[in-house]
């Protein structure tokens, strides 16, 4: 048995363990609600619009928007369509997903990509109470995908890594663009 077979077996064992030992009516309801916050990035897009209202947090809004864009390109357009990993509920006969079965590929998790990415962007660029709240929601959305049986753990971990890299890269790009814009404004204001 090679490394990937072992990893696949662990992935399957985790999902079945959750289904048989952790799922309960209260957690099911909470996780269903939480996972829908990540649908199509709508929750994060709403936060971006709220941040755009405040001049103080415009830069964070742009970081989050670029994070979502990078995540969408890498996860949904490139990797899902290259790897073609089927969803766990198709591969594991005993697994029953708790939400409608997504029809796209499983690897990596788009919910985890955008949610962890935006959560990290908020954590690094907003006041602590907002940053921690955003990051916590991001983690819950990512974990909900495993709990509900629609993603393998490795899908979510890969999505979280892509989201992290997307957030850090976006922050670097937006900060550099901000410095360039400020420098140009400053040079226009200074007398010749």
């Amino acid at each position: 048995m090679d490394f990937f077979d072992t990893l696949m077996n662990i992935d399957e064992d985790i999902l079945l363990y959750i289904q048989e030992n952790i799922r309960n009516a209260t957690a099911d309801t909470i996780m269903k609600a939480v996972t829908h916050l990540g649908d199509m990035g709508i929750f994060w897009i709403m936060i971006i619009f709220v941040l755009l209202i405040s001049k103080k947090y415009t830069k964070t809004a742009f970081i989050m928007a670029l994070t979502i864009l990078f995540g969408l390109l890498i996860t949904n357009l490139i990797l899902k369509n290259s790897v073609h990993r089927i969803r766990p509920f198709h591969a594991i006969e005993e697994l029953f997903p708790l939400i409608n079965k997504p029809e796209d590929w499983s690897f990596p998790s788009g919910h985890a990509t955008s949610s962890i990415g935006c959560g990290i962007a908020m954590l690094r660029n907003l006041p602590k109470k907002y940053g921690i709240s955003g990051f916590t929601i991001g983690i819950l959305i990512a974990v909900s995908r495993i709990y509900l049986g629609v993603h393998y753990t490795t899908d979510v971990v890969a999505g979280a890594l892509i989201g992290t890299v997307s957030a850090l890269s976006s922050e670097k790009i937006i900060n550099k663009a901000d410095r360039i814009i400020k420098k140009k404004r400053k040079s226009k204001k200074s007398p010749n």
Side-chain angles (χ1 to χ4, degrees):
M1 185 178 291
D2 68 7
F3 173 75
F4 291 107
D5 288 335
T6 302
L7 197 57
M8 188 66 178
N9 287 338
I10 292 169
D11 258 348
E12 290 179 8
D13 289 345
I14 290 169
L15 289 169
L16 291 174
Y17 181 84
I18 290 169
Q19 178 174 277
E20 294 163 16
N21 299 291
I22 298 176
R23 284 183 182 176
N24 62 70
T26 303
D28 292 356
T29 302
I30 292 168
M31 288 301 201
K32 286 176 188 178
V34 165
T35 210
H36 290 307
L37 290 175
D39 291 352
M40 298 185 302
I42 297 297
F43 176 74
W44 304 112
I45 292 167
M46 289 182 350
I47 290 176
I48 289 167
F49 280 115
V50 169
L51 293 174
L52 284 171
I53 294 168
S54 167
K55 190 176 180 182
K56 186 176 180 181
Y57 300 120
T58 302
K59 191 164 73 166
T60 304
F62 284 121
I63 292 168
M64 290 175 68
L66 192 56
T67 297
I68 289 173
L69 181 62
F70 283 155
L72 178 70
L73 291 172
I74 296 165
T75 300
N76 293 71
L77 297 180
I78 297 172
L79 289 177
K80 280 184 184 272
N81 294 311
S82 299
V83 175
H84 296 138
R85 187 180 198 185
I86 62 171
R87 295 278 179 165
F89 49 79
H90 290 306
I92 308 167
E93 191 176 301
E94 307 87 11
L95 183 65
F96 299 101
L98 296 180
I99 57 171
N100 291 336
K101 296 176 178 179
E103 295 179 17
D104 62 343
W105 299 108
S106 192
F107 181 89
S109 167
H111 278 69
T113 301
S114 61
S115 298
I116 296 297
C118 286
I120 286 174
M122 290 177 69
L123 188 64
R124 291 175 54 84
N125 296 283
L126 291 178
K128 192 179 263 188
K129 65 180 176 180
Y130 302 121
I132 290 172
S133 297
F135 185 64
T136 302
I137 291 168
I139 289 172
L140 287 172
I141 291 170
V143 169
S144 74
R145 307 304 285 173
I146 301 165
Y147 180 91
L148 296 169
V150 295
H151 274 293
Y152 294 102
T153 303
T154 49
D155 297 341
V156 169
V157 170
L161 291 173
I162 294 164
T164 300
V165 171
S166 296
L168 297 176
S169 301
S170 297
E171 183 178 329
K172 192 171 187 176
I173 290 166
I174 297 298
N175 283 337
K176 186 170 185 173
D178 186 50
R179 284 192 301 275
I180 291 168
I181 291 167
K182 284 179 179 173
K183 190 175 180 180
K184 284 186 178 182
R185 284 183 185 157
K186 191 175 180 182
S187 66
K188 284 183 181 181
K189 287 182 182 178
S190 61
N192 293 334

